[in-house]
């Protein structure tokens, strides 16, 4: 197993993770700010990555900030907000070309890290808050984005499924925020939220690349230390959701293709003993093109181009998604539900278990070949409080038996069937 | 087997042309867990009219056939090839573009078997009437899925506004109607003409021993018989340098309008290196004015004519080329007029030495970052190879570019009759 060694240091106000690796021609730096997922502040958290990335006190407008990154050999810098179970994580990602590959002798990495630090800790602001023009423009952009979610039918259907399925649970909160919040957000209030966040959120910094560990540690201390924070973790455990009748929701929009999304509760989370068997389960059920969903919905009945499943590790959800003709709703739904029953009754072979195991292992190894993939895996582990070396993860996946997979299947409960269909709903 | 060393990048590419004409390239990256292999034919959706191998007269085949053939190569008399890869712990996929059809896998174990599987499934077709008919339902849903995607409709609509007769204007998957005409005999006709090894390239990158891998590929190819292939005669209609329609639009159920500006590029006179230089220069010039550091971007963003969905790309290939700029907008008409004006003004503007150096650094950095990806290296190397360019020459070519090159490029670039505008408008 070629996973790089991870060194973790508890630093002043942050935790530093260094992963030396010779795989890349670049150095990747990722900062993650985590806090419990709550209705209050969610729109501010959606807005902040956009505002912070626009200007700093040293580079006071977009053009100067972007030009500075371009001069550092097109250093890539991006940020986003996501749900990890019922916690909210803001990620800032930078990728810098390793100086070893450049003829130029300038300290590229140090300058790039300075910009990273400025964006996080010294964004353009004065005593009255953020720059008003920037905030107003970003509010406008985010408003537009919220309104446009409907234009991407697959993610819209996914969002609607979660709305119905996790109603009254924090997980149903929208990471892009809510329109009604904008009337209460301005440059001053957003800056106040920012100050609270930057001082109080749990901060983890990951650095990977062909780097000298001691040198990197020194740079990180220079740029990421927070004097004000004890960096404590107020992790919010995901709620299980109430037991209730299976919901079936049909909504109509002007679409050519219907989007059939089905949500199950797995009752299994990252860090649980049967999490490995869940991965193997998903491979047989809908994770790969050899899975039951693909073979039955697509290959056998020609109902869809895609039919697949994925699971959410921290919340314990299994989500099935497929694009079918509006008239084929019942048939497609029944086929999908039958595949789950087949899983529960053990209607699959030991060979399929072995094949799925190999696929899961392949996928894990491929993920860890990528800097961002590796960092995500390690961050997941840290959030769930279990730190297992890569080698052990693979061994645990290998140990999964058919009986384990059946046990996992039996734990999985159907929760909500959601269908986004055409106005005519399949009636000619 | 020849070895080509690229010192600055610390990479080596091994190359050999097999007796049957297949070109093989290998790149070894022992630090990676993963190996990626891609087997590409120089045949895509635009190759609709040709003289079939062994025949006198040219034929025109139904729209969408290259893509249909891609789907059908995975199905054999007794099995689905996805299962073969699954058994080997690999994941497989394929794609069809305007000019290419490619089959690929990635795996972290049993690489030799996976490479043989890739070569054998592509080189042993099995088409039957029943399986051809079955595929029509699946591809119809694939087409329907794209019909609901506003970004895809905007992209294709722009190409259709630029091109009058050339088959680049035909959707790669064809239409729900055109695919109904496809027969198994059509598939064999296309297959036998375009899947001859001398029209194909194999690239394997990752955790491999190049010497052993090349021996294995040679043995695989030597065991198969292929007829000698004369040059393939492909026919394309005469296309005017001017755009087909200066303006066009569709109405879709979207919340935000989209405006795309297309520039029809002249490529017929360019050789490989000229094509690469044109691609790099247009990318750098567009970046300079229209990326987030650019004066045009700033102006458009400030005035709320664009948001962060604004994008631009230049695609130059054998037979056709275009540049497309655009994105979501609240003022579709005004954005079109402003961008056109900006494009026309390029000729009067100059990029300073300092700014040009910055754009070169940005390009170099982007290229180095991309080299972290085995997929990028293999796909892009293959693409450039079919155009007569070496991927790893990109770096010295960027280094060699000057402001005079940029001035000369804009001198001939933008002409009124080469620009089209395509809008996606919301319903009333």
């Amino acid at each position: 197993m070629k996973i790089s060694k991870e060194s973790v240091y508890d630093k002043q106000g942050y935790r530093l993770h260094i992963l030396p690796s010779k795989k890349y021609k670049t150095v990747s730096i990722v900062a993650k700010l985590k806090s419990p997922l709550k209705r209050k502040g969610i729109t501010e958290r959606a807005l902040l990555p956009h505002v912070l990335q626009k200007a700093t006190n040293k580079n006071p407008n977009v053009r100067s900030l972007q030009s500075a990154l371009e001069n550092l050999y097109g250093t890539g810098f991006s940020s986003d907000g996501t749900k990890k179970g019922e916690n909210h994580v803001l990620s800032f990602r930078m990728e810098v070309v390793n100086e070893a590959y450049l003829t130029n002798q300038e300290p590229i990495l140090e300058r790039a890290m300075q910009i990273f630090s400025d964006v996080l800790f010294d964004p353009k602001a004065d005593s009255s808050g953020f720059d008003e023009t920037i905030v107003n423009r970003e509010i406008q952009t985010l408003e537009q984005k919220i309104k446009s979610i409907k234009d991407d039918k697959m993610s819209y259907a996914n969002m609607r499924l979660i709305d119905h399925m996790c109603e009254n649970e924090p997980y149903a909160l929208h990471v892009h925020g809510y329109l009604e919040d904008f009337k209460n957000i301005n440059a001053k209030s957003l800056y106040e939220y920012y100050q609270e966040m930057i001082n109080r959120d749990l901060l983890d910094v990951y650095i990977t690349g062909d780097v000298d560990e001691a040198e990197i540690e020194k740079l990180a201390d220079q740029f990421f230390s927070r004097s004000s924070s004890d960096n404590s973790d107020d992790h919010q455990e995901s709620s299980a959701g109430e037991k209730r009748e299976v919901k079936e929701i049909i909504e109509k929009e002007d679409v050519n293709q219907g989007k059939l999304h089905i949500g199950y509760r797995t009752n299994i989370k990252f860090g649980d003993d049967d999490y490995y068997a869940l991965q193997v389960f998903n491979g047989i059920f809908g994770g790969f093109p050899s899975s039951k969903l693909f073979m039955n919905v697509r290959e056998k009945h020609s109902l869809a181009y895609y039919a697949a499943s994925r699971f959410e590790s921290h919340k314990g959800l299994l989500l099935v998604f497929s694009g079918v003709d509006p008239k084929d709703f019942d048939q497609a739904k029944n086929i999908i539900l039958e595949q789950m029953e087949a899983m529960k009754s053990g209607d699959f072979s030991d060979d399929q278990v072995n094949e799925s195991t190999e696929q899961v292992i392949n996928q894990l190894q491929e993920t860890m070949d990528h800097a961002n993939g590796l960092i995500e895996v390690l961050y997941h582990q840290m959030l769930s409080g279990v730190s297992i070396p890569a080698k052990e993860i693979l061994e645990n996946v290998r140990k999964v038996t058919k009986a384990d997979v059946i046990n996992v299947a039996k734990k999985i409960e159907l929760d909500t069937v959601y269908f986004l269909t055409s106005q005519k709903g399949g009636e000619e | 087997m020849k070895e080509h060393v690229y010192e600055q990048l610390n990479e080596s590419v091994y190359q050999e042309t097999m007796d049957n004409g297949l070109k093989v390239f290998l790149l070894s990256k022992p630090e990676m867990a993963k190996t990626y292999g891609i087997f590409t034919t120089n045949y895509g959706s635009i190759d609709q009219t040709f003289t079939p191998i062994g025949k006198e007269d040219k034929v025109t085949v139904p729209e969408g056939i290259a893509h249909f053939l891609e789907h059908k190569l995975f199905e054999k008399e007794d099995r689905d090839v996805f299962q073969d890869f699954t058994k080997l712990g690999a994941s497989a996929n394929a794609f069809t573009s305007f000019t290419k059809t490619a089959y690929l896998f990635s795996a972290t174990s049993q690489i030799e078997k996976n490479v043989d599987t890739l070569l054998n499934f592509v080189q042993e077709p099995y088409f039957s009437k029943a399986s051809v008919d079955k595929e029509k339902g699946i591809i119809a849903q694939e087409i329907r899925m794209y019909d609901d995607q506003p970004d895809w409709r905007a992209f294709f609509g722009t190409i259709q506004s630029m091109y009058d007769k050339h088959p680049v204007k035909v959707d790669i998957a064809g239409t729900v109607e055109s695919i109904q005409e496809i027969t198994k005999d059509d598939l064999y006709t296309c297959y036998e003409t375009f899947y001859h090894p001398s029209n194909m390239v194999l690239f394997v990158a990752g955790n491999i021993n190049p010497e052993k891998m090349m021996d294995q590929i040679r043995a695989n190819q030597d065991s198969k018989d292929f007829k000698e292939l004369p040059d393939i005669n492909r026919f394309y209609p005469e296309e005017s340098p001017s755009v087909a329609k200066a303006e066009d639009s569709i109405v879709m159920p979207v919340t935000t309008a989209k405006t795309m500006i297309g520039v029809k590029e002249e490529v017929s006179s360019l050789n490989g290196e000229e094509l690469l230089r044109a691609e790099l220069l247009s990318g750098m010039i567009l970046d300079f004015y229209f990326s987030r550091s650019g004066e045009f971007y700033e102006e458009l963003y400030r005035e709320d004519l664009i948001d962060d969905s604004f994008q631009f790309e230049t695609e130059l290939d054998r037979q056709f080329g275009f540049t497309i700029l655009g994105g979501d907008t609240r003022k579709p008409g005004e954005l079109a007029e402003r961008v056109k004006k900006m494009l026309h003004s390029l000729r009067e503007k100059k990029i300073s030495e300092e700014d040009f150096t910055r754009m070169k650094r940005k390009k170099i950095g982007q290229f180095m970052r991309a080299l972290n990806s085995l997929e990028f290296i293999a796909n892009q190397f293959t693409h450039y190879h079919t155009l007569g360019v070496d991927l790893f020459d990109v770096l010295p070519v960027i280094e060699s570019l000057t402001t005079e090159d940029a001035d000369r490029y804009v001198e001939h670039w933008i002409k009124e009759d080469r620009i089209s505008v395509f809008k996606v408008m919301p319903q009333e």
Side-chain angles (χ1 to χ4, degrees):
Chain A
M1 184 69 218
K2 292 171 183 172
I3 185 170
S4 48
K5 198 173 136 333
E6 181 189 16
S7 306
V8 187
Y9 306 91
D10 271 311
K11 292 291 191 176
Q12 177 55 49
Y14 76 109
R15 221 169 358 197
L16 174 64
H17 311 249
I18 303 177
L19 313 147
S21 168
K22 291 194 186 299
K23 285 180 187 178
Y24 319 114
K25 290 187 164 57
T26 53
V27 177
S28 293
I29 306 156
V30 178
K32 288 181 173 287
L33 288 155
K34 183 178 80 113
S35 102
L37 191 56
K38 285 193 187 111
R39 176 65 184 84
K40 191 171 176 295
I42 189 97
T43 308
E44 281 85 349
R45 290 182 82 86
L47 201 49
L48 273 174
H50 301 286
V51 170
L52 294 179
Q53 267 199 83
K54 289 294 177 297
T56 65
N57 284 322
K58 288 196 201 83
N59 286 295
N61 60 59
V62 178
R63 288 185 67 190
S64 96
L65 184 59
Q66 290 300 321
S67 299
L69 289 167
E70 287 173 347
N71 255 326
L72 299 172
Y73 287 86
T75 287
F77 195 31
S78 65
S79 60
D80 60 44
T82 51
K83 287 184 259 189
K84 287 259 183 274
E86 289 181 350
N87 293 280
H88 188 274
V89 178
L90 279 176
S91 302
F92 293 82
R93 301 187 177 85
M94 182 174 259
E95 198 181 3
V96 194
V97 177
N98 196 315
E99 290 156 21
Y101 292 100
L102 299 171
T103 44
N104 192 305
Q105 297 301 311
E106 294 168 36
I108 304 293
L109 181 62
E110 186 180 338
R111 287 185 192 162
M113 284 175 80
Q114 176 71 59
I115 293 178
F116 199 132
S117 173
D118 290 346
V119 164
L120 274 189
F121 300 112
D122 191 22
K124 189 183 180 194
D126 57 27
S127 54
S128 61
F130 283 127
D131 182 300
E132 216 168 288
T133 325
I134 292 177
V135 171
N136 291 340
R137 186 65 187 85
E138 291 311 311
I139 286 178
Q140 218 175 359
T141 304
L142 185 58
E143 267 182 324
Q144 197 62 36
K145 201 176 279 174
I146 293 173
K147 289 179 190 158
S148 308
I149 291 167
K150 248 190 181 168
D151 295 353
D152 177 353
K153 299 299 181 237
M154 210 190 291
S155 41
Y156 178 69
N158 189 52
M159 183 185 91
R160 295 299 294 153
L161 169 69
I162 300 295
D163 281 349
H164 290 291
M165 184 171 169
C166 301
E167 208 180 348
N168 302 324
E169 297 167 48
Y171 192 73
L173 289 171
H174 296 169
V175 273
H176 43 257
Y178 294 86
L179 290 175
E180 68 260 29
D181 292 359
F182 289 118
K183 60 179 186 298
N184 297 319
I185 299 177
N186 56 43
K188 186 163 181 287
S189 73
L190 188 67
Y191 189 65
E192 282 161 9
Y193 183 87
Y194 156 78
Q195 285 179 309
E196 208 180 297
M197 176 198 88
I198 203 70
N199 286 319
R200 203 201 46 207
D201 270 30
L202 179 73
L203 174 61
D204 283 276
V205 176
Y206 290 83
I207 302 177
T208 181
D210 193 358
V211 292
D212 180 282
E213 206 166 327
E215 230 169 273
I216 278 291
E217 196 185 337
K218 229 170 76 191
L219 282 177
D221 277 338
Q222 188 182 337
F223 294 119
F224 293 105
S225 295
R226 291 188 296 180
S227 53
S228 52
S229 174
D230 61 356
N231 208 40
S232 62
D233 188 1
D234 50 351
H235 193 74
Q236 175 169 267
E237 281 303 323
S238 292
S239 49
E242 292 162 41
K243 291 251 183 248
R244 50 172 171 69
E245 293 285 292
V246 172
K247 282 195 213 175
E248 182 167 305
I249 311 280
I250 293 176
E251 293 183 334
K252 293 184 176 180
E253 291 285 343
D254 198 346
V255 293
N256 288 298
Q257 183 178 66
K259 301 286 180 199
L260 175 54
H261 289 219
I262 299 180
Y264 293 88
R265 305 258 177 189
T266 61
N267 300 304
I268 297 167
K269 286 185 208 159
F270 198 98
D272 291 351
D273 288 341
D274 43 10
Y275 182 75
Y276 303 102
L278 174 65
Q279 289 173 281
V280 176
F281 163 91
N282 189 53
I284 302 170
F285 179 61
F288 302 114
S290 51
S291 67
K292 282 185 178 289
L293 291 182
F294 189 91
M295 293 312 289
N296 287 285
V297 182
R298 172 170 154 149
E299 293 300 315
K300 199 166 157 197
H301 294 279
S302 301
L303 292 177
Y305 170 63
Y306 65 91
S309 65
R310 63 181 174 84
F311 54 95
E312 211 287 347
S313 316
H314 295 280
K315 176 66 182 164
L317 308 180
L318 177 78
L319 306 169
V320 172
F321 43 101
S322 183
V324 300
D325 194 280
K327 70 173 168 20
D328 294 330
F329 167 61
D330 283 318
Q331 194 190 355
K333 179 183 80 178
N334 290 334
I335 293 170
I336 293 168
L337 299 183
E338 277 163 25
Q339 303 318 306
M340 180 58 88
E341 288 314 308
M343 293 301 298
K344 287 179 196 278
S345 61
D347 183 13
F348 52 91
S349 64
D350 286 324
D351 279 350
Q352 279 173 293
V353 175
N354 294 336
E355 285 163 19
S356 177
T357 301
E358 289 307 315
Q359 296 270 70
V360 169
I361 287 172
N362 179 49
Q363 205 173 42
L364 274 167
Q365 287 186 312
E366 287 195 13
T367 303
M368 292 188 284
D369 263 350
H370 296 281
N372 281 325
L374 176 65
I375 291 168
E376 285 305 313
V377 171
L378 294 170
Y379 191 62
H380 263 279
Q381 285 203 351
M382 204 208 55
L383 289 192
S384 61
V386 279
S387 175
I388 303 167
K391 208 175 145 215
E392 213 171 296
I393 298 179
L394 301 185
E395 278 166 15
N396 289 337
V397 175
R398 277 223 167 81
K399 280 186 206 145
V400 172
T401 64
K402 183 175 170 183
D404 297 334
V405 175
I406 296 173
N407 278 337
V408 162
K410 285 183 175 160
K411 280 182 143 181
I412 297 176
E413 296 168 300
L414 177 62
D415 189 294
T416 301
V417 176
Y418 175 83
F419 193 49
L420 180 70
T421 187
S422 60
Q423 298 293 356
K424 280 190 249 163
E427 288 156 38
E428 292 305 317
Chain B
M1 180 169 92
K2 271 187 291 187
E3 181 185 359
H4 196 148
V5 182
Y6 304 90
E7 259 173 43
Q8 192 188 347
L9 295 167
N10 194 22
E11 301 285 6
S12 286
V13 173
Y14 299 84
Q15 160 183 3
E16 185 172 324
T17 304
M18 301 290 141
D19 288 344
N20 62 23
L22 174 67
K23 286 182 198 70
V24 181
F25 299 94
L26 306 175
L27 180 133
S28 166
K29 279 220 187 233
E31 322 79 62
M32 294 288 203
K34 171 160 91 174
T35 298
Y36 174 79
I38 180 162
F39 193 16
T40 308
T41 165
N42 192 18
Y43 163 58
S45 67
I46 66 166
D47 302 308
Q48 252 184 284
T49 304
F50 57 92
T51 311
I53 184 169
K55 294 274 165 57
E56 298 284 310
D57 299 325
K58 64 179 179 186
V59 296
T60 296
V61 289
E63 295 174 356
I65 197 163
H67 171 259
F68 202 104
L69 175 48
E70 172 228 300
H71 274 233
K72 286 295 37 156
L73 266 189
F74 281 92
E75 196 169 316
K76 303 302 175 201
E77 189 169 7
D78 53 346
R79 70 195 198 284
D80 192 308
V81 174
F82 280 120
Q83 311 282 358
D84 296 353
F85 283 106
T86 298
K87 289 194 173 72
L88 295 167
S91 59
N93 213 335
F95 62 83
T96 307
S97 70
F98 293 122
T99 55
K100 281 172 211 71
T101 314
Y103 302 84
L104 55 99
F105 78 88
S106 67
T108 49
S109 62
Q110 307 191 69
I111 304 307
E112 296 76 19
K113 284 186 191 162
N114 277 305
V115 169
D116 272 337
T117 303
L118 177 66
L119 286 167
N120 294 343
F121 101 81
V122 175
Q123 293 186 327
E124 289 158 11
Y126 170 80
F127 307 130
S128 73
K129 183 175 184 310
S131 87
V132 167
D133 288 342
K134 189 205 77 177
E135 204 67 22
K136 289 175 182 174
I138 296 170
I139 295 179
Q141 282 312 314
E142 187 177 1
I143 294 169
R144 290 280 179 247
M145 177 180 80
Y146 283 112
D147 284 346
D148 282 335
Q149 290 177 3
D151 288 327
W152 180 256
R153 298 282 300 272
F155 173 72
F156 240 92
T158 313
I159 293 174
Q160 284 164 344
S161 71
M162 287 185 272
Y163 283 87
D164 179 29
K165 299 196 176 72
H166 195 279
V168 68
K169 65 181 262 191
V170 177
D171 204 318
I172 291 168
T175 62
V176 174
E177 294 73 38
S178 76
I179 61 169
Q180 306 306 324
E181 301 163 22
I182 293 173
T183 66
K184 101 178 201 280
D185 293 339
D186 291 336
L187 295 183
Y188 276 115
T189 301
C190 294
Y191 181 86
E192 275 155 16
T193 305
F194 293 109
Y195 281 70
H196 191 277
S198 62
N199 193 42
M200 299 188 73
V201 176
L202 173 69
F203 199 114
V204 184
N207 197 340
I208 54 167
N209 174 327
E211 206 123 318
K212 278 192 189 155
M213 177 63 68
M214 198 63 94
D215 289 346
Q216 181 202 328
I217 294 165
R218 198 181 307 111
N220 178 296
Q221 291 303 291
D222 286 349
S223 71
K224 296 171 185 170
D225 280 329
F226 290 93
K227 277 181 262 177
E228 201 65 24
L229 180 74
D231 281 342
I232 304 172
N233 281 318
R234 314 171 196 227
F235 303 90
Y236 306 94
E238 189 80 20
E239 176 74 31
S240 151
S242 312
V243 297
K245 292 178 202 160
E247 211 166 330
D248 203 3
S249 66
I250 52 166
V251 173
M252 264 188 93
V254 290
T255 39
T256 316
K258 289 175 195 298
T259 294
M260 313 303 281
I261 296 90
V263 182
K264 192 172 180 179
E265 307 281 4
E266 178 60 48
V267 291
S268 55
S269 60
L270 302 181
N271 67 28
E273 182 166 341
E274 288 162 342
L275 205 78
L276 175 63
R277 288 166 67 90
E279 188 181 287
L280 291 168
L281 282 169
S282 74
M284 285 162 68
I285 294 162
L286 290 171
D287 247 352
F288 179 66
Y289 292 106
F290 288 102
S291 79
R292 286 191 288 164
S293 66
E295 59 171 290
F296 290 162
Y297 184 96
E298 185 190 39
E299 198 178 313
L300 296 170
Y301 193 81
R302 195 180 51 226
E303 294 178 34
D304 194 21
L305 290 166
I306 58 171
D307 60 22
D308 53 17
S309 68
F310 184 82
Q311 280 182 343
F312 49 86
E313 63 173 310
T314 296
E315 196 169 333
L316 306 176
D317 210 324
R318 62 175 163 93
Q319 287 291 323
F320 68 91
F322 52 78
T323 292
I324 296 178
L325 308 89
D328 290 356
T329 179
R330 295 212 262 202
K331 300 165 190 167
E334 203 182 328
L335 176 59
E337 287 317 305
R338 288 287 283 281
V339 172
K340 274 163 74 171
K341 223 169 157 184
M342 287 168 168
L343 289 171
H344 282 299
S345 75
L346 290 180
R347 210 176 313 178
E348 279 87 61
K349 297 177 91 75
K350 287 249 179 284
I351 304 180
S352 72
E353 287 295 335
E354 193 192 333
D355 287 334
F356 195 71
T357 302
R358 172 163 58 89
M359 298 335 285
K360 278 168 79 165
R361 284 177 156 214
K362 183 177 185 179
K363 263 272 175 273
I364 291 168
Q366 283 172 338
F367 180 69
M368 305 285 272
R369 281 196 275 150
L371 291 182
N372 282 338
S373 156
L374 297 175
E375 289 86 344
F376 171 83
I377 294 176
N379 296 1
Q380 203 64 14
F381 192 101
T382 303
H383 168 66
Y384 279 150
H385 176 77
T386 59
L387 297 173
V389 177
D390 182 333
L391 172 70
F392 294 102
D393 282 344
V394 167
L395 211 47
V397 172
I398 299 172
E399 303 270 14
S400 76
L401 294 172
T402 63
T403 50
E404 288 78 41
D405 293 325
D407 292 344
R408 260 199 306 275
Y409 191 77
V410 291
E411 190 66 36
H412 303 284
W413 192 12
I414 304 299
K415 300 195 174 81
E416 185 63 38
D417 67 336
R418 300 271 186 94
I419 300 183
S420 69
V421 171
F422 185 80
K423 297 178 198 148
V424 177
M425 300 298 285
Q427 289 156 327
E428 282 309 314

